[in-house]
Amino acid sequence: MSEQLGETAGTSLTVRNLEPGARYTVNVLARDTAGRVSWSSPPLTFATGSPAESSCAVRFDDDNDWGNGYVANVEVINTGAKAVDGWTLTWTWPTGWQQVSSGWSATWDQQGRDVRVTPTADNRRLAADGGSTTVGFVGAYSGPNVPPGAFRLNGTVCTLR
């Protein structure tokens, strides 16, 4: 897919509304004062990160990797000023060969590359200003085991810790 992300008369360009935790490849074209367009630059690939400020944070630890599987702990942290009563954590695996095999302390669901985690009755409330819970899973993979680039808590993109 090809689309124009912006134009600038300067030497830098800020692109907004990119998906957090996604990879993008761009080429730069230049236009001179006569309107002639240059050849395309070599491709530049970059990944977007998580926001600097958010009302949530996630710590993802791949604890025990054995080559095609591992144990992971995921700490969900409410950094906001209000308690969260009921939460859903979501992420998308960067590759198609990663999966959640089984999990604990939450209900785990994976559809394709998309993972959805919901709390149990005993960890559904996250206190304000740092309340957290840790959930875990056994993961499997058949290629590079790349961690998720972005997590969303109730739809809000969280910072990574």
Side-chain angles (χ1 to χ4, degrees):
M1 177 171 97
S2 179
E3 71 178 281
Q4 181 175 339
L5 297 177
E7 291 185 22
T8 183
T11 58
S12 67
L13 173 70
T14 299
V15 179
R16 305 214 185 277
N17 297 322
L18 298 178
E19 181 70 22
R23 295 180 60 80
Y24 292 89
T25 300
V26 296
N27 298 89
V28 176
L29 302 173
R31 184 180 322 228
D32 65 18
T33 55
R36 294 181 297 253
V37 177
S38 70
W39 290 99
S40 176
S41 71
L44 170 70
T45 300
F46 64 93
T48 55
S50 62
E53 295 293 324
S54 179
S55 60
C56 58
V58 171
R59 182 175 291 119
F60 183 92
D61 292 319
D62 175 348
D63 288 338
N64 182 9
D65 196 308
W66 54 86
N68 64 353
Y70 62 100
V71 174
N73 287 305
V74 182
E75 184 180 12
V76 182
I77 307 160
N78 176 13
T79 58
K82 294 182 180 178
V84 174
D85 191 11
W87 53 269
T88 299
L89 181 70
T90 58
W91 74 79
T92 300
W93 291 116
T95 67
W97 49 72
Q98 294 167 285
Q99 67 183 8
V100 172
S101 298
S102 63
W104 56 91
S105 299
T107 299
W108 296 83
D109 181 51
Q110 182 171 344
Q111 300 295 320
R113 293 175 34 208
D114 299 325
V115 177
R116 183 174 186 265
V117 186
T118 53
T120 58
D122 62 332
N123 66 358
R124 67 174 280 114
R125 183 168 172 79
L126 302 175
D129 299 320
S132 69
T133 190
T134 300
V135 297
F137 68 94
V138 175
Y141 60 94
S142 60
N145 188 23
V146 182
F151 295 87
R152 294 180 188 273
L153 183 66
N154 294 345
T156 299
V157 178
C158 300
T159 57
L160 299 176
R161 291 199 176 164

